[in-house]
Amino acid sequence: MKDLDQYWRYSFVGALLCAAAIGIVLRIMSIQADPQRLKQLEAEIEQVTKVQKTIVPARGQIYDRWGNLLAGNKKVYEIGVELQDVEDPQFIAHAVSMIVPDIKYEYVFSMASLKPSPSAVYATLTRFAPQEAVDKLELLKKQLKEDYVANGKDAPSLRGLVYYPHLERYYPEKALASNILGFVSRDNQGYFGVEERFNELLSGKARTVLVPTDPNRVEEMPEVPNGASLVLTIEREVQLAMEEIIDDAVAETGSASGTLVVMNPKTGEIIAMATTPRIDLNEYWRLEEVFPPGSNIPFNRAVGQAYEPGSVFKPLTMAIALDTGAVTPDTVFVDTGSIEVGGIFIVNWNRGAWGPQDMTGCLQHSLNVCLAWVATQIGPNNFYRGLQAFGLGHLTGVDLAGEVAGRLKAPGDNDWFASDLGTNSFGQGIAVTPVQMAAAISAIANNGVMMAPKIVRSVINDGYQHDIEQRVIGMPIKPETARTLSEMLARSLEKESSDALVPGYRVAGKTGTAEIPIPGQGYTSNQTNASFVGWGPVDDPQFLVYVWLEKPSTSPWGSVVAAPVFRRAVEKLVIYLNLPPDDVRRRLASSN
């Protein structure tokens, strides 16, 4: 009887199991027969085994033209606490505050003491701890574990303390080329320079994806392409040398600021762009110490600050006059010391009369009266049409954030007056940026062809390098006009034995000294903007250098303070660019 009872019990259990199996099979068949329900079930399973995560790609790196790293990435760590695992918040706070820079004990203790809950499972202590801090914490963890094993007693605990690596922007050269590069904040946003101008390209595209919660399935983590990298046109060694030269010039002349731009007039490539002030980009949060709010100091004066250039502007006026046939190099003007244009009288820088002068003499002695007369011979329509052809009053399109266009008034504007024709001819009443002037003057150095200034040489993306094409942005004067004017400007420097002359190399150029206007008061300031622009070698220009010193105190004259800066820059450039002296170069060319 007992055996019979057991038989029925086993039969009953077996029947139940068979029924359950049949039910499961039927359920599976019904789900498979219903594709929508099958997808829903798969989604529910995936939701349990995977979580959403935003994967931020590594930001692209920035190099100089020879591959020297200017902006890269370094590994840092997010340190946090898994609240459910914390045993000793007090010791966690003590350890972290002692080892990790700039973290307060009170903050860590309050975070580590939070009660775990469905809405509070993890607390971030810092997102940017250096590698050495994490190494010290790991060593401390190991020591605590060894103490516990050796002594067999309770010890201070760092349980719950965790770290996660990620990348932070890093500038190995600190302040070098900082005005060109800009910086990246800790939210991965670029500010100023190429970091801002190419932020989207450099940062790549973040993706929000489902990732496995099981660490054994880490290989299923999707890959996200890194951001593109940039190769700049600047040369690290030249940039460093130009920064040292302009820093020394600012100190020696007591100037408020200094800017020095080196450009290849044949290609538009900027070889160096040095300006003051600069900051260590690794400490970008000190920005307001160097550029105080309300000070109106641009991050990069070369592209972000327009000023009245003064006589350095005169080559553009002479270029238009020669090109339109208004004058020739041999045209003689009798300088009586003043000229009336549009109802105002214009005088020379020394208020003197210079008598008969050909056009080279007008440039050599930088005669305002002569250039104002030249502008009247051109006429307002041709004069302003010519200046617009040189790109004045417009953005150059240089690939840097923060460029301003300056201001070129012209007939038809409400604030243009007939007298502006005279004053604009020698760089007064017009606002330009250094890079604007460098681009415009490059047309004189480059046989009349004006190239777009560029700072990015190529883009590296997905393993391929894409070179950025050189771009012609105009031909404001004829080639013969450019060659004639270059020769005139070279002779004018040689005749006055300028401080800009470089032994062994023939250069062309022009000084500039401009009074600084005070809003509503006219030109009553005793301070000036001192400038110099020059290029060489004259027969085959390889460089163009633009110098601007703001409010020099040792001397107001560009010929005294700015011309020597040009000479020092060229003396360095010919070495870095491997340019032999003119006579050696000609002998080498003839022997080939």
Side-chain angles (χ1 to χ4, degrees):
M1 191 71 174
K2 182 178 179 181
D3 291 340
L4 186 61
D5 288 343
Q6 287 181 340
Y7 169 78
W8 285 112
R9 279 201 299 271
Y10 289 144
S11 298
F12 180 72
V13 170
L16 285 177
L17 291 173
C18 288
I22 293 170
I24 291 171
V25 170
L26 292 174
R27 180 60 175 160
I28 291 173
M29 292 175 63
S30 68
I31 290 173
Q32 289 178 333
D34 184 356
Q36 187 173 357
R37 176 56 186 152
L38 181 60
K39 288 181 180 179
Q40 182 182 351
L41 185 62
E42 289 174 348
E44 289 173 358
I45 295 171
E46 189 172 70
Q47 191 171 4
V48 174
T49 59
K50 292 186 177 183
V51 295
Q52 272 197 347
K53 182 172 179 144
T54 299
I55 301 178
V56 178
R59 193 174 181 91
Q61 306 195 104
I62 303 175
Y63 305 90
D64 84 338
R65 68 187 300 121
W66 301 122
N68 296 302
L69 183 66
L70 300 176
N73 305 303
K74 67 176 180 180
K75 185 188 291 185
V76 292
Y77 289 83
E78 175 177 308
I79 298 180
V81 284
E82 299 284 0
L83 296 176
Q84 64 181 1
D85 297 329
V86 171
E87 294 177 348
D88 193 342
Q90 188 173 10
F91 187 71
I92 288 176
H94 175 73
V96 172
S97 63
M98 289 291 291
I99 292 174
V100 183
D102 302 323
I103 296 187
K104 302 296 183 184
Y105 174 93
E106 293 78 12
Y107 173 75
V108 180
F109 181 72
S110 65
M111 291 294 101
S113 300
L114 291 173
K115 298 293 184 184
S117 68
S119 60
V121 296
Y122 174 82
T124 302
L125 303 181
T126 179
R127 291 200 62 242
F128 298 94
Q131 178 74 55
E132 53 268 26
V134 171
D135 290 343
K136 290 178 181 178
L137 288 170
E138 272 297 294
L139 180 61
L140 181 58
K141 270 188 173 183
K142 183 179 178 183
Q143 291 172 343
L144 292 174
K145 184 177 181 181
E146 290 174 353
D147 289 346
Y148 181 82
V149 172
N151 300 323
K153 62 180 182 179
D154 291 338
S157 173
L158 289 179
R159 273 182 54 82
L161 190 67
V162 292
Y163 348 95
Y164 301 103
H166 63 98
L167 297 178
E168 180 184 33
R169 201 54 156 176
Y170 170 62
Y171 301 92
E173 301 283 0
K174 298 183 177 179
L176 180 73
S178 61
N179 310 85
I180 296 171
L181 295 172
F183 59 82
V184 178
S185 65
R186 285 178 167 175
D187 59 1
N188 202 34
Q189 174 63 48
Y191 293 91
F192 306 110
V194 293
E195 291 280 29
E196 178 178 335
R197 176 68 175 77
F198 295 94
N199 182 66
E200 187 174 337
L201 189 65
L202 287 162
S203 61
K205 293 184 178 180
R207 287 177 57 195
T208 300
V209 296
L210 288 171
V211 298
T213 55
D214 182 355
N216 295 317
R217 296 170 61 194
V218 70
E219 71 278 358
E220 296 180 28
M221 287 280 287
E223 292 186 5
V224 177
N226 293 337
S229 293
L230 302 179
V231 179
L232 304 187
T233 59
I234 67 170
E235 296 192 25
R236 179 195 175 277
E237 297 301 324
V238 178
Q239 179 70 24
L240 178 60
M242 296 305 112
E243 289 185 3
E244 291 174 347
I245 288 171
I246 202 65
D247 288 350
D248 290 345
V250 169
E252 291 169 5
T253 62
S255 299
S257 72
T259 300
L260 196 163
V261 177
V262 181
M263 179 178 174
N264 184 331
K266 294 183 177 181
T267 64
E269 291 187 340
I270 293 171
I271 302 168
M273 180 182 281
T275 185
T276 61
R278 296 184 295 278
I279 64 169
D280 182 344
L281 297 172
N282 297 304
E283 299 177 353
Y284 70 86
W285 49 85
R286 298 182 57 198
L287 180 72
E288 292 187 356
E289 297 177 23
V290 182
F291 301 90
S295 65
N296 295 321
I297 299 175
F299 191 77
N300 185 343
R301 294 179 191 272
V303 299
Q305 184 168 349
Y307 78 109
E308 294 195 10
S311 297
V312 75
F313 190 86
K314 288 174 180 174
L316 299 181
T317 299
M318 189 62 70
I320 298 167
L322 293 171
D323 206 63
T324 58
V327 300
T328 70
D330 298 325
T331 298
V332 174
F333 171 72
V334 179
D335 183 3
T336 61
S338 69
I339 187 174
E340 186 266 329
V341 179
I344 71 162
F345 284 90
I346 292 170
V347 298
N348 290 317
W349 57 272
N350 68 342
R351 299 185 177 276
W354 291 74
Q357 298 287 332
D358 64 13
M359 294 298 102
T360 300
C362 287
L363 291 172
Q364 177 189 339
H365 303 303
S366 199
L367 303 180
N368 296 344
V369 173
C370 179
L371 269 294
W373 175 80
V374 168
T376 64
Q377 303 308 296
I378 300 170
N381 288 337
N382 285 337
F383 179 67
Y384 289 101
R385 189 182 299 118
L387 293 182
Q388 289 170 350
F390 276 110
L392 302 184
H394 303 283
L395 298 175
T396 67
V398 64
D399 34 9
L400 288 168
E403 184 185 13
V404 299
R407 178 75 200 283
L408 172 65
K409 296 185 291 184
D413 293 340
N414 292 334
D415 56 349
W416 184 86
F417 301 95
S419 59
D420 288 328
L421 177 63
T423 56
N424 291 170
S425 70
F426 53 88
Q428 191 178 84
I430 186 170
V432 298
T433 64
V435 77
Q436 244 181 351
M437 282 298 294
I441 297 289
S442 73
I444 302 173
N446 190 36
N447 287 320
V449 179
M450 186 165 62
M451 305 299 295
K454 57 181 285 191
I455 203 80
V456 176
R457 193 179 191 200
S458 56
V459 177
I460 301 173
N461 200 5
D462 294 332
Y464 295 93
Q465 181 167 323
H466 311 276
D467 293 336
I468 306 299
E469 293 184 357
Q470 300 158 9
R471 186 164 55 92
V472 176
I473 55 176
M475 192 167 179
I477 54 175
K478 295 184 282 290
E480 53 268 30
T481 301
R483 290 191 290 269
T484 297
L485 184 52
S486 285
E487 183 62 27
M488 291 169 65
L489 290 165
R491 288 182 182 179
S492 71
L493 290 181
E494 291 160 356
K495 286 181 179 179
E496 66 174 303
S497 300
S498 169
D499 284 338
L501 295 175
V502 182
Y505 299 86
R506 194 158 186 256
V507 295
K510 183 71 184 74
T511 59
T513 303
E515 292 180 301
I516 298 175
I518 298 176
Q521 301 180 44
Y523 295 85
T524 60
S525 171
N526 59 0
Q527 297 176 314
T528 64
N529 282 311
S531 304
F532 189 91
V533 64
W535 57 95
V538 170
D539 61 330
D540 185 23
Q542 301 296 313
F543 57 81
L544 180 143
V545 178
Y546 192 91
V547 178
W548 168 33
L549 294 173
E550 182 185 19
K551 301 177 183 177
S553 60
T554 58
S555 170
W557 306 111
S559 57
V560 176
V561 295
V565 180
F566 169 82
R567 184 190 69 246
R568 292 175 204 161
V570 174
E571 288 171 345
K572 292 286 188 181
L573 280 171
V574 295
I575 296 172
Y576 290 123
L577 301 182
N578 197 26
L579 292 176
D582 291 350
D583 57 346
V584 175
R585 177 169 50 87
R586 293 191 189 101
R587 285 201 303 270
L588 291 172
S590 62
S591 65
N592 293 332

